[in-house]
Amino acid sequence: MSARTSPITRRQEIALVTGRELRAHLMKKSTIILTLVLLVAVIGGIIGISIYTSGQDEAYRLGLKGIETSQAAGLDGVVSSNGEKIEVVDVSEKETKAVLSDEPPEGTPHVDMVLDVSGAAPTITVEEKTDDAVVSGVTAFLQQASLGQQIAALGGDPGQVASQLSAAKPEVTVLNAPKRDAADFGPRYAILMTIDVLLLFAIMGGGQFIAQGVVEEKSSRIVEILLACVRPSSLLAGKILGIGIASFLTTGVIAVAGVVTAKATGIMPDINLNLDGVLAAMLVWLIVGYAIFAVAFGAAASLVSRQEDVSSVTMPLVMLSMVPYVLSFVMATGDTNSLTFRVLAFLPPFAPFMMPARLVLGVSSWTEQAIAFGIALVFLPLLVRAAAAIYTRAVTRTGARVPLKELLGRAQRA
């Protein structure tokens, strides 16, 4: 006699479906091509930006003629438009055209601007265009020097006058100081935009794949064969886990490649932000956000039997995911500590987008992140239970769209 086979457990059912969905999704030609395209776009974009911005952080070089560098003590404090202090170089013995050339002769220093005070009036010479910030600083220096000469000619003390002028400035008091540093807002906003786009890509892409897979199995009646082997809830859970792991892997690879490339090229600005911590938080919220919307997409797709009807049931979920996506940018450009944004950030459908945004902007603590994560963990089982009930009752019904109100009414009676 043959040995009796033991019934398959729920965990084994989910594992089987997960493996099937994972292999099918990762081996899809569209998934491979899309991942490669995004990798090339992210890495190539970062390298392109690095090449384009290379040299912009170098010190602006100012050549002096008719004055020694020791006599131009005030010029070394002038700041150029890139935020760096200028470098003063003595070019008295060199030709102006030669030192301004991009390829100066051997032994000739290269400068970006030449200040010549040897004539009757000071002149500034550049190769193509001037740096307005440097011109303003040089002008202030020359005016200060001229004023000192006139004061000395009248018998006064230029040093004392300069000291009095420096002290004659108002004390600025800001009543409503900004909650973030405006100097590094641009880089933070760029990081926020990158994270939100990756989150939206993973959540929306995974959700749509799940919805299409559910309807495809339902319309071809394959689901009836599958349900003869596994439970409906196990089928939905395995589909969500399989596609979720695939989405997590592809998005994670893109995110890690972007961070590594940014660090390798030195394109990351010097801001007070733990990029590794932000990346870890983004991946955690990616899992949470995907779980929330994937469960909802799977349940919604079970209501219809044709691919052309998928958009009608998934559109509300698409719009729901776009709301926190847009709000994260509105929050970044507005009052990040507004009570409205702080409350919305704790709501599970909004948290996957808004919590990473608040972390990047520097207005959220890890304690706040943990609380929001705990709320999401409480919400998820309730959502999963409701979605599983809808999926179980609707996935075997073909034909016209199944009314959600009818399914909820049956659930209440049960």
Side-chain angles (χ1 to χ4, degrees), residues 129-146:
K129 59 181 180 179
T130 61
D131 188 313
D132 293 338
V134 176
V135 172
S136 299
V138 170
T139 302
F141 168 78
L142 294 174
Q143 292 174 344
Q144 184 67 31
S146 178

Side-chain angles (χ1 to χ4, degrees), residues 267-281:
I267 197 175
M268 287 304 303
D270 186 17
I271 58 177
N272 185 23
L273 181 64
N274 182 3
L275 194 60
D276 295 332
V278 170
L279 177 60

Side-chain angles (χ1 to χ4, degrees), residues 49 106 151 153 209 225 233 245 332 404:
I49 293 174
E106 186 176 353
I151 293 173
F209 276 124
I225 301 175
S233 57
I245 294 172
L404 181 59

Side-chain angles (χ1 to χ4, degrees), residues 20-31:
R20 167 180 172 268
E21 294 292 337
L22 180 60
R23 289 189 298 270
H25 191 72
L26 288 179
M27 301 312 298
K28 275 185 178 179
K29 186 181 294 186
S30 58
T31 302

Side-chain angles (χ1 to χ4, degrees), residues 54-65:
S54 61
Q56 293 188 2
D57 293 334
E58 296 180 359
Y60 194 91
R61 293 167 64 87
L62 174 66
L64 298 181
K65 281 192 171 188

Side-chain angles (χ1 to χ4, degrees), residues 123 131 149 315 350 380 383:
T123 61
D131 188 313
Q149 293 174 0
M315 184 55 66
F350 292 76
L380 263 173
L383 178 64

Side-chain angles (χ1 to χ4, degrees), residues 48-369:
I49 293 174
S50 175
I51 295 174
Y52 177 76
T53 58
S54 61
Q56 293 188 2
D57 293 334
E58 296 180 359
Y60 194 91
R61 293 167 64 87
L62 174 66
L64 298 181
K65 281 192 171 188
I67 181 175
E68 296 181 1
T69 54
S70 59
Q71 299 173 326
L75 282 175
D76 55 4
V78 175
V79 178
S80 62
S81 57
N82 66 357
E84 301 290 334
K85 290 185 177 181
I86 67 171
E87 181 181 347
V88 181
V89 182
D90 186 4
V91 295
S92 299
E93 304 299 327
K94 307 294 182 180
E95 291 289 334
T96 299
K97 187 175 181 180
V99 297
L100 289 174
S101 174
D102 290 334
E103 298 180 358
E106 186 176 353
T108 302
H110 168 73
V111 297
D112 301 293
M113 179 185 293
V114 174
L115 171 63
D116 189 351
V117 295
S118 60
T123 61
I124 287 178
T125 307
V126 295
E127 180 70 19
E128 294 181 355
K129 59 181 180 179
T130 61
D131 188 313
D132 293 338
V134 176
V135 172
S136 299
V138 170
T139 302
F141 168 78
L142 294 174
Q143 292 174 344
Q144 184 67 31
S146 178
L147 178 63
Q149 293 174 0
Q150 293 297 321
I151 293 173
L154 295 173
D157 184 359
Q160 184 178 0
V161 174
S163 177
Q164 293 294 325
L165 288 175
S166 299
K169 58 181 181 181
E171 181 181 348
V172 179
T173 301
V174 180
L175 297 179
N176 296 302
K179 303 298 183 182
R180 55 177 177 265
D181 185 6
D184 65 359
F185 175 70
R188 288 178 182 269
Y189 189 83
I191 296 172
L192 163 63
M193 183 171 61
T194 303
I195 289 176
D196 271 6
V197 169
L198 286 175
L199 285 170
L200 188 66
F201 165 73
I203 292 173
M204 294 298 300
Q208 291 292 348
F209 276 124
I210 289 173
Q212 292 171 4
V214 169
V215 175
E216 180 180 351
E217 291 174 352
K218 186 175 179 179
S219 60
S220 62
R221 312 299 288 266
I222 295 178
V223 68
E224 297 178 6
I225 301 175
L226 294 174
L227 291 179
C229 305
V230 298
R231 302 173 181 87
S233 57
S234 300
L235 180 60
L236 178 61
K239 186 177 292 293
I240 291 173
L241 285 175
I243 296 178
I245 294 172
S247 299
F248 181 81
L249 289 175
T250 53
T251 306
V253 167
I254 296 170
V256 171
V259 171
V260 171
T261 307
K263 288 186 174 182
T265 56
I267 197 175
M268 287 304 303
D270 186 17
I271 58 177
N272 185 23
L273 181 64
N274 182 3
L275 194 60
D276 295 332
V278 170
L279 177 60
M282 185 205 80
L283 294 178
V284 170
W285 284 114
L286 168 63
I287 296 173
V288 174
Y290 171 80
I292 292 174
F293 285 96
V295 169
F297 269 96
S302 67
L303 301 176
V304 296
S305 303
R306 300 185 305 169
Q307 290 289 352
E308 51 266 33
D309 295 331
V310 173
S311 60
S312 63
V313 293
T314 59
M315 184 55 66
L317 298 174
V318 173
M319 298 303 297
L320 178 61
S321 65
M322 289 300 298
V323 171
Y325 173 77
V326 174
L327 281 179
S328 62
F329 293 108
V330 175
M331 177 181 64
T333 55
D335 184 4
T336 53
N337 276 325
S338 168
L339 180 61
T340 301
F341 291 133
R342 293 180 65 182
V343 172
L344 288 177
F346 284 98
L347 300 181
F350 292 76
F353 288 96
M354 300 188 71
M355 275 299 168
R358 293 180 61 79
L359 189 63
V360 171
L361 295 172
V363 294
S364 175
S365 64
W366 288 106
T367 301
E368 182 179 279
Q369 299 283 321

